[in-house]
Amino acid sequence: LSYDKLFLKNAGNFAKLGVTYIEDEVLSVNNGEKTIALKKGKKIAYDTLLIASGSRALNPPVEGINQSGIYHMWTRADLDRLTIECRDKKEVLIIGSGFVSLQAAWSARALGLNVTLVEIADRLMPLVLDERGSAIMREQMEKHAVAVHTGTVTEKIVKNGDGGFTVTLKGKGDLPVDFIIVGAGVGANIGFLEGSGVEYQRTIPVDPHMRTNIGNIYAAGDAAAGPSAYGDEHVTHALWPTAVEMGNIAGANMAGQNISYSGSLNMNVTQMFDVTVASMGKFNEADIDDAYVYEAEAGKGYCKLCY
C-alpha cells in the first residue's frame, strides 16, 4: 500500500508555518507551572494549552478480546495487518454495527470473504438509523450474504491452535472464524489529565469558546464535549467536520479573538452494500415531534424528514 497522499501534514509542512513539531507522549499537565511533561523526559512551557488528543478504539467487555488476530479499523498498523489477513484468510467476524464496522463488512465481502456481523443492540446502526432504515440495511447486507446477528452478546473468544478463533455467542453457540474486527465505539485519550485540575468524565466539557474549567486550557475534537446545533451544552460528536470546526474556534480564541461555536451537527454519509446511507440530526421517535416519509414512488428510496 502507498500512503503518500493519505496524511494531511508532515513535520516539514508544520515548520514552514513556524510550528515546532514534536512526536512524543504527554504524561501529565501542570497548570500551576504551565508545563506539560513528555515521556522522553522533556518539559514544555505554555501560556495557553489546547487539548486535541483525539480518541482510541474501545474493546467491549468480552473475555479474550485482547489477543493478536483481533483488530480495530483505527490505525495505519491495523490497516497493514488487515490487508494481509483479508488476502490470506476466509472467515471474518465483525463485532459492532456502526459506520466503521459496516464499511469493514462491505470491504470484506467485496474481497470474497465470508462475513458474520454481531450487534448487541436490537437493530443495526442504532445511533444512525431508525427501525425502518435499519431493517432496510439488514436486508441489503443479507442480499450480499452477510450473516447478521442483532440482539446478540459476544460472550467469549478462544484462540485455537491454528491461529483462528472460536467465538461463543450467547444463546447461539460457537462460531469458528479466522480473524475478528471490532467496531465498538471510541474513548477519549485524556488519561494524562489526572491531577491537572481539568474537569473531565468520558470527555472534556468545554464552553462555546472551547475553554475548559481552567481559563487558559482549551479542548477540541473527539476529546471534547461542546455545544450542539440543537442547544445541548455538552455533546461529543466524534466526527472530522466537528473536530475541524472546534479546532478553528479554539485556535482563534487562544490567539486573542472572541468567537463562539454555533454547535456541532451529527452527520454521516457513506455508500455500502449498493445503497447510500445518509443520516443527520435527530431521528428517533423520542427526540422528534413529527416526521414525513417520502413515498417509494418518489424515487428517493427511504427518505424521512424529522421535525
Side-chain angles (χ1 to χ4, degrees):
L1 290 174
S2 173
Y3 295 103
D4 291 346
K5 296 182 180 180
L6 181 62
F7 299 106
L8 299 178
K9 296 290 182 183
N10 58 39
N13 297 132
F14 286 125
K16 292 175 184 177
L17 297 170
V19 175
T20 301
Y21 174 77
I22 300 170
E23 286 193 8
D24 204 343
E25 180 181 350
V26 177
L27 297 181
S28 62
V29 175
N30 185 330
N31 198 53
E33 294 181 355
K34 293 186 179 178
T35 60
I36 61 170
L38 302 182
K39 188 173 184 178
K40 294 177 183 177
K42 189 174 182 179
K43 278 191 176 182
I44 298 176
Y46 64 85
D47 294 315
T48 55
L49 175 67
L50 172 63
I51 300 164
S53 47
S55 54
R56 67 195 183 282
L58 296 178
N59 276 328
V62 177
E63 182 183 343
I65 196 75
N66 294 304
Q67 302 183 70
S68 61
I70 302 175
Y71 304 98
H72 298 281
M73 297 282 287
W74 200 250
T75 67
R76 175 173 167 172
D78 290 329
L79 179 57
D80 287 338
R81 291 191 292 263
L82 281 167
T83 300
I84 297 170
E85 294 279 29
C86 290
R87 185 186 303 132
D88 299 338
K89 305 293 177 61
K90 196 64 180 174
E91 304 286 340
V92 56
L93 169 68
I94 296 175
I95 300 175
S97 70
F99 266 106
V100 172
S101 294
L102 265 61
Q103 284 284 1
W106 175 230
S107 297
R109 281 300 299 140
L111 292 169
L113 277 71
N114 298 322
V115 179
T116 301
L117 185 140
V118 174
E119 167 60 52
I120 193 171
D122 61 358
R123 69 176 193 262
L124 294 173
M125 307 180 86
L127 300 179
V128 178
L129 297 177
D130 67 358
E131 290 188 12
R132 183 172 170 189
S134 176
I136 293 170
M137 194 71 244
R138 179 173 188 146
E139 181 181 348
Q140 287 297 119
M141 292 176 69
E142 290 176 342
K143 280 183 182 177
H144 286 84
V146 176
V148 178
H149 299 277
T150 53
T152 301
V153 176
T154 305
E155 286 191 316
K156 184 171 64 173
I157 301 172
V158 176
K159 195 162 191 175
N160 305 325
D162 61 359
F165 298 91
T166 298
V167 182
T168 302
L169 304 179
K170 187 175 183 180
K172 297 185 178 181
D174 291 343
L175 175 71
V177 297
D178 294 320
F179 67 101
I180 299 168
I181 298 173
V182 179
V186 300
N189 297 319
I190 51 178
F192 59 87
L193 290 176
E194 186 175 355
S196 67
V198 176
E199 292 179 357
Y200 65 92
Q201 294 177 350
R202 295 181 64 181
T203 51
I204 308 164
V206 295
D207 67 13
H209 293 81
M210 303 296 107
R211 279 190 300 256
T212 69
N213 62 300
I214 298 176
N216 66 324
I217 299 181
Y218 296 71
D222 288 13
S228 80
Y230 296 98
D232 302 298
E233 187 176 13
H234 296 127
V235 173
T236 300
H237 290 150
L239 299 169
W240 175 249
T242 296
V244 171
E245 292 166 357
M246 294 176 84
N248 284 334
I249 296 293
N253 288 324
M254 292 170 73
Q257 296 189 44
N258 184 20
I259 301 175
S260 294
Y261 186 36
S262 58
S264 64
L265 175 68
N266 58 311
M267 63 178 107
N268 285 284
V269 182
T270 191
Q271 291 178 306
M272 51 194 175
F273 297 103
D274 294 338
V275 293
T276 298
V277 183
S279 174
M280 285 164 274
K282 298 186 178 184
F283 54 85
N284 284 312
E285 294 300 322
D287 298 322
I288 64 175
D289 296 317
D290 201 359
Y292 177 78
V293 178
Y294 283 87
E295 297 298 328
E297 305 84 74
K300 295 181 174 62
Y302 175 52
C303 183
K304 179 180 180 182
L305 298 179
C306 302
Y307 304 91

